[in-house]
Amino acid sequence: MIEKDKVVLFHYVLKNEQGDVIEDSRTGEPLAYMHGHGGIIPGLEKELEGKDQGDHVDVTLAAQDAYGERQEGMLQRVSAKYLKHAGKKLRPGMQVAVSTDKGNRMVTVVKVGLKTVDIDGNHPLAGLTLSFSVDIVEVRDATDEEKDHGHVHGPGGHKH
Ligand code: ZN
């Protein structure tokens, strides 16, 4: 049963309010997280509490229980040199990493100028009501090392 410190592996299909599929984990490995450590969005973690291997869970989450509301103050104009886009031409809507003094952060390109780029630091899924269709693949005890680190090792988790 899913409770604090259990390692959970699950597949999910994520849809927006219109029913469009945004992400489908079945194209790869299931997602792995350690329950009770904020490793997945809060509304989903709460919904998975007490469920078990083999269970199917459908849940619709308002923005505040998923990736939060959009914040207007997250729009910024930066020099293009701070953006990491591996030589690809910058286009509106593209997700790129920007280097900040706190490390890399993912942002969305809003507008591309000659030397500057307008970026939006909101999570791309912020402000959206999201539906998750979850299949719980595996529930197991965390190892002592995983508990120490507060995250999962092995398939779907940290590799280090
Ligand atoms: Zn670790």
Side-chain angles (χ1 to χ4, degrees):
M1 193 184 74
I2 298 177
E3 56 193 6
K4 192 169 191 305
D5 291 340
K6 290 284 184 180
V7 168
V8 183
L9 279 78
F10 67 92
H11 272 301
Y12 67 96
V13 178
L14 169 59
K15 293 180 182 175
N16 63 16
E17 240 175 329
Q18 289 72 41
D20 305 320
V21 174
I22 300 171
E23 290 172 17
D24 185 346
S25 71
R26 286 174 180 81
T27 55
E29 288 178 339
L31 190 75
Y33 79 100
M34 197 187 304
H35 194 76
H37 294 265
I40 58 172
I41 56 172
L44 188 57
E45 186 166 53
K46 198 172 136 216
E47 205 63 36
L48 292 179
E49 175 95 31
K51 301 294 192 301
D52 219 332
Q53 193 163 314
D55 282 355
H56 179 87
V57 179
D58 284 308
V59 56
T60 298
L61 300 173
Q64 68 264 25
D65 295 320
Y67 291 94
E69 300 291 352
R70 287 184 58 81
Q71 291 170 13
E72 291 313 318
M74 302 288 270
L75 293 170
Q76 252 186 308
R77 177 164 292 177
V78 299
S79 168
K81 70 181 177 196
Y82 295 116
L83 301 180
K84 297 181 176 173
H85 46 99
K88 271 186 265 172
K89 192 170 164 24
L90 289 168
R91 288 172 199 284
M94 202 170 155
Q95 306 284 318
V96 294
V98 59
S99 47
T100 71
D101 44 5
K102 291 184 193 108
N104 282 350
R105 199 158 58 83
M106 289 306 289
V107 298
T108 305
V109 174
V110 177
K111 192 177 154 199
V112 183
L114 281 179
K115 290 195 170 122
T116 61
V117 181
D118 292 353
I119 54 170
D120 183 350
N122 283 295
H123 190 281
L125 299 176
L128 299 181
T129 296
L130 299 171
S131 295
F132 288 87
S133 181
V134 174
D135 282 303
I136 301 167
V137 176
E138 189 185 337
V139 179
R140 65 167 169 86
D141 292 322
T143 63
D144 289 342
E145 193 186 40
E146 285 172 327
K147 280 183 202 163
D148 277 354
H149 289 204
H151 58 227
V152 178
H153 294 163
H158 278 247
K159 293 170 179 74
H160 63 145

